[in-house]
Amino acid sequence: MPAAHSPIPEDRVAGLLILLYARWPSAVSRLTGEHVEHHDHEVRLRLGREPVVLPEPLAGLTLQLVASRRGHAAIGDKGALPWLFPGGQPGRPISSYQLGRRVRQLGLQPGQARSTALFQLATELPAAVLAKMLGIHISVAVAWQRTSSGDWATYAAEVSRRT
């Protein structure tokens, strides 16, 4: 396999948001600078009702992205662009198709990565926290929590019944 090129910060941030926070490319593409908060050496990203504290290197990459974002068709003041991932059309974010293509070039499969991330998060967080953090419906969070722990509960029950 040929050596992969060093991904640009935009692609790294998009890929990490999919891998860590179970975001679809369509949700990532619609993020704006207003979703990012930087206070007291913490970078937070509002994906749902409650912002999440971003770990490094994602925090630094996100701040770099906020400071340097520019669209392919944009002219003039960078601050006028609301999108974290500006697209080729003036005033529009990158398309979810284009963003998905770019993260696939990094070796990520967005659907698989999102499912894996949701499964992992559901094993670590209560459904209510997961729903608020990711901005998903509580019934979806409960379903993922049942799926992620259901096999373990069944397994534990089977083990306890063994003689």
Side-chain angles (χ1 to χ4, degrees), residues 80-138:
L81 294 174
W83 310 107
L84 283 183
F85 303 92
Q89 297 178 358
R92 303 285 313 255
I94 190 171
S95 71
S96 58
Y97 173 81
Q98 180 68 8
L99 191 62
R101 187 181 70 73
R102 286 170 52 173
V103 297
R104 281 190 292 280
Q105 288 176 337
L106 299 176
L108 296 176
Q109 296 300 319
Q112 275 183 330
R114 180 179 183 274
S115 293
T116 301
L118 267 172
F119 191 87
Q120 183 61 40
L121 289 168
T123 64
E124 297 173 2
L125 300 170
V129 173
L130 185 64
K132 285 181 182 178
M133 182 179 91
L134 299 181
I136 59 177
H137 194 275
I138 186 68

Side-chain angles (χ1 to χ4, degrees), residues 7 21 27 34 47 51 66 96 120 123 146 158 160:
Y21 300 106
E34 291 183 4
L47 301 170
V66 168
S96 58
Q120 183 61 40
T123 64
R146 284 186 183 142
E158 283 180 23
S160 70

Side-chain angles (χ1 to χ4, degrees), residues 145-162:
Q145 194 168 52
R146 284 186 183 142
T147 299
S148 68
S149 63
D151 292 339
W152 289 108
T154 302
Y155 175 76
E158 283 180 23
V159 168
S160 70
R161 285 188 285 245
R162 292 182 188 165

